[in-house]
Amino acid sequence: SFNDEGTKFTASTERLFAIYSTFDFTKLTASTAFGGVRSINCLHHADLYLLVASGDKPGASPRRAKIWRDSQLIQEIALPSTVEHTLWNKTHLVLFTDNQIFVYELRTLSLKATLNHFPGNNCGALAISDSNILCYPCPNVLGQIIVHDCKENRLLHRFAAHRTEVSRMAMNATGTMLCTASKAGTLIRVFQIPSGDLLFTFRISNTNNSITSLQFCAQNSNYLLCGSGKNMWSVCYLGEKTQRS
């Protein structure tokens, strides 16, 4: 991932992680202290990185999220099971395990909420906006989405998105629109947030399909990018309330 200014990016292998300059690709720092690394990401704070090890080295458990700054480990967050996925915005950090979501205040790393999500969620079905709105699959109703306010730590709404399990989702930066796909992978739906009102439906395929990626354009939420397992990319236009792709 890149830092906010686009001046650095991270990379990891089965042996180490490294941080590079985007200007001349100089390696700024690297470490083999944790062995293989499942993920390393730049957080919004300057020179602050979130690292999850793969667990192939003593002291490098995948159940611990590590905060790294200036080549030093400054904080660890221990969870009851493996960290499968991580999300963040400028004020909150979200850690995702096989059946729970942990929401932390980024400035203090204090735990604000522990939420249950749908068992078997493949980690693509989770989204947070810059406005602190978190969306995730309901733990006990198939195809239903929960809308949670991280700042106020309260449930805003829940609504039915699909008849089958939600497999992917993405939210625009302002937290006003959410796009979702189910495991069937034939349709993408776009909802207004937090009301859950259906705004758009795009048919991506006439047969079962695997949606691998969903992303709103950062500069213009009227454009939505969708990647599928059939090596196909679709750009969906949301400028008018009609079905397009």
Side-chain angles (χ1 to χ4, degrees):
S1 68
F2 293 88
N3 63 351
D4 277 359
E5 297 79 19
T7 58
K8 300 176 184 178
F9 68 93
T10 63
S12 62
T13 71
E14 60 184 15
R15 297 188 301 106
L16 56 81
F17 75 89
I19 302 168
Y20 295 86
S21 166
T22 56
F23 296 114
D24 55 8
F25 302 106
T26 300
K27 186 185 293 184
L28 302 175
T29 187
S31 176
T32 60
F34 307 112
V37 174
R38 293 171 64 90
S39 66
I40 177 170
N41 298 284
C42 303
L43 299 179
H44 283 280
H45 293 246
D47 297 320
L48 197 63
Y49 302 90
L50 177 67
L51 182 150
V52 179
S54 60
D56 59 352
K57 199 169 185 177
S61 170
R63 297 188 299 272
R64 293 178 178 269
K66 305 174 187 295
I67 310 296
W68 180 274
R69 173 186 280 165
D70 296 330
S71 301
Q72 293 184 341
L73 180 64
I74 62 172
Q75 184 81 29
E76 276 193 342
I77 302 174
L79 297 183
S81 56
T82 297
V83 180
E84 301 287 355
H85 195 54
T86 58
L87 283 178
W88 60 92
N89 62 11
K90 291 183 179 180
T91 57
H92 290 85
L93 171 65
V94 180
L95 301 179
F96 184 107
T97 68
D98 57 351
N99 60 359
Q100 289 183 303
I101 299 168
F102 299 86
V103 182
Y104 295 84
E105 186 180 67
L106 191 54
R107 183 176 59 87
T108 63
L109 293 180
S110 58
L111 180 64
K112 293 198 64 175
T114 301
L115 310 168
N116 295 321
H117 66 82
F118 190 82
N121 186 352
N122 68 355
C123 304
L126 186 71
I128 191 170
S129 70
D130 290 343
S131 57
N132 296 309
I133 301 300
L134 176 69
C135 292
Y136 62 95
C138 178
N140 49 23
V141 181
L142 193 68
Q144 194 172 92
I145 300 294
I146 290 179
V147 184
H148 181 84
D149 185 335
C150 291
K151 184 177 180 180
E152 301 296 332
N153 193 20
R154 64 188 179 96
L155 173 71
L156 292 179
H157 190 49
R158 63 176 68 200
F159 63 92
H162 297 271
R163 294 180 181 177
T164 58
E165 181 182 343
V166 178
S167 63
R168 295 285 170 184
M169 67 172 68
M171 201 160 15
N172 65 341
T174 56
T176 57
M177 289 191 292
L178 175 77
C179 63
T180 65
S182 72
K183 277 200 168 181
T186 56
L187 299 175
I188 294 174
R189 290 180 173 142
V190 181
F191 300 91
Q192 187 173 4
I193 297 297
S195 69
D197 293 338
L198 179 63
L199 299 177
F200 304 92
T201 298
F202 298 94
R203 180 167 291 278
I204 301 301
S205 175
N206 290 321
T207 59
N208 283 359
N209 184 26
S210 174
I211 302 297
T212 57
S213 178
L214 288 173
Q215 184 68 52
F216 279 97
C217 175
Q219 290 75 31
N220 187 343
S221 293
N222 280 336
Y223 293 95
L224 172 66
L225 182 66
C226 166
S228 78
K230 296 181 178 180
N231 296 321
M232 180 179 70
W233 289 91
S234 302
V235 178
C236 304
Y237 175 61
L238 282 60
E240 301 173 9
K241 197 169 181 180
T242 57
Q243 181 174 315
R244 297 187 181 183
S245 62

